[in-house]
Amino acid sequence: MRLMDKAAIVVGAGQTPGHAIGNGRATAILFAREGARVLLVDRDLASADETRVLIEREGGTASTFRADVTVDSQCKAVVDACVERFGRIDVLHNNVGIGAGDQSITEVSEEAFVRILNVNLKGPFSMCRHAIPVMRAQKSGVITNISSIAAVAATTTLTAYRASKAALNALTQNIAIDNAAYGIRANAIMPGLIDTPMAIEGNAKRLNIDKQELIEQRGKRVPMGHMGSAWDVAYAALFLASDEAKFITGVLLPVDGGQSCRVG
Ligand SMILES: NC(=O)c1ccc[n+]([C@@H]2O[C@H](COP(=O)([O-])OP(=O)(O)OC[C@H]3O[C@@H](n4cnc5c(N)ncnc54)[C@H](O)[C@@H]3O)[C@@H](O)[C@H]2O)c1
């Protein structure tokens, strides 16, 4: 019960359909297991509802809200809904991130570049700017942004994705510094290669290879020899959201099986 009585927003709490659980869904379930009331936000309401059913089956408390993070007024509506339903916002977890359409600098279209930055960077920006006044009034709150180790290590085909996540890291640290005096903490988690539908189903289709083959290929790139799971990201998020991390802010935490510290 590490989040007992806390009110949490998980943005991107549904998931891309596929063989494994996604980062947002696993985090929402874990937060609820640890005692939080969770507002499950997604542009795909049916998918957020699936997460709600999973939580309620375990006896947890959750409710859903449809919003597209690229629309600032909808982000404000998320914040208002959380205050209306739960009375406060203790945790804001920004999980939404996309990479579809990304390419090397000469290949990526302007449309894809703008779309990826809009979702991955402007989305969390909008959520944070509306949630922070509520947290400041409470004199407490935790923000966790889901970044990526792509932010700190170049991959030629991830031009927009990398730029968006690197900027998200910078935004997170700015928020941390600007709000530390208000009792608000802000950190980013940088997942490495995680076995989620977005990564496997999406890329297997794009690369036109078998899913199992992709899982093996990705596993070999990790020093620990296998990909992480969404639960690995969720447990890091739980720690950062809990009072155990009360002196931790401005941190960019890799959850990557050692991948980002390997040279060669
Ligand atoms: N899987 C990996 O290997 C990996 C690695 C590094 C970082 N990440 C990061 O993890 C996060 C997502 O992981 P996931 O597995 O939960 O993905 P997911 O696709 O399963 O879930 C994301 C959810 O976000 C929702 N969404 C997409 N665009 C939205 C929008 N504009 N507004 C509201 N909701 C929207 C989708 O409907 C989906 O339910 C992303 O930020 C991604 O960059 C993943």
Side-chain angles (χ1 to χ4, degrees):
M1 286 295 157
R2 292 155 75 189
L3 300 182
M4 192 62 189
D5 295 330
K6 294 198 190 287
I9 301 174
V10 175
V11 191
Q15 75 168 74
T16 306
H19 71 295
I21 191 164
N23 292 330
R25 177 166 289 168
T27 300
I29 291 173
L30 191 57
F31 281 6
R33 276 182 196 162
E34 294 291 333
R37 295 161 291 161
V38 189
L39 186 66
L40 308 166
V41 180
D42 208 289
R43 68 172 175 188
D44 180 348
L45 192 59
S47 191
D49 263 321
E50 284 172 24
T51 308
R52 180 182 56 75
V53 169
L54 293 169
I55 289 173
E56 287 176 350
R57 254 190 225 150
E58 296 186 357
T61 304
S63 82
T64 53
F65 194 87
R66 205 207 83 80
D68 181 334
V69 293
T70 62
V71 184
D72 188 74
S73 59
Q74 294 185 17
C75 294
K76 168 85 169 74
V78 169
V79 165
D80 292 346
C82 189
V83 172
E84 195 187 305
R85 295 180 197 182
F86 299 148
R88 53 189 292 113
I89 305 171
D90 296 299
V91 181
L92 168 62
H93 182 90
N94 288 311
N95 169 68
V96 174
I98 59 163
D102 206 2
Q103 275 300 342
S104 63
I105 182 72
T106 50
E107 306 286 318
V108 66
S109 68
E110 183 188 2
E111 184 275 330
F113 190 88
V114 170
R115 178 167 40 80
I116 291 167
L117 262 84
N118 227 357
V119 174
N120 296 5
L121 179 61
K122 194 176 84 68
F125 159 79
S126 287
M127 283 307 312
C128 290
R129 85 189 192 96
H130 293 301
I132 284 169
V134 176
M135 292 177 169
R136 282 186 178 180
Q138 294 170 178
K139 298 228 173 303
S140 68
V142 181
I143 294 169
T144 306
N145 291 325
I146 298 301
S147 175
S148 166
I149 59 162
V152 293
T155 315
T156 54
T157 52
L158 296 181
T159 310
Y161 185 79
R162 177 168 198 225
S164 70
K165 296 296 193 180
L168 183 60
N169 284 357
L171 179 74
T172 304
Q173 290 183 320
N174 251 66
I175 290 170
I177 295 308
D178 285 350
N179 293 282
Y182 295 93
I184 300 170
R185 299 187 289 109
N187 298 292
I189 292 173
M190 300 192 292
L193 294 171
I194 309 292
D195 185 4
T196 69
M198 191 177 73
I200 299 304
E201 269 79 357
N203 284 323
K205 204 169 149 197
R206 185 176 61 83
L207 300 166
N208 197 23
I209 58 169
D210 178 63
K211 249 176 20 188
Q212 203 47 44
E213 195 185 324
L214 181 62
I215 289 172
E216 280 163 29
Q217 274 181 17
R218 282 168 66 97
K220 283 187 190 142
R221 287 160 59 196
V222 183
M224 291 186 97
H226 58 85
M227 283 190 287
S229 84
W231 296 109
D232 296 317
V233 176
Y235 275 103
L238 170 63
F239 169 65
L240 290 174
S242 76
D243 293 341
E244 293 157 18
K246 65 183 168 41
F247 200 52
I248 299 178
T249 195
V251 158
L252 312 172
L253 177 67
V255 175
D256 67 350
Q259 202 185 356
S260 60
C261 67
R262 180 157 75 184
V263 176

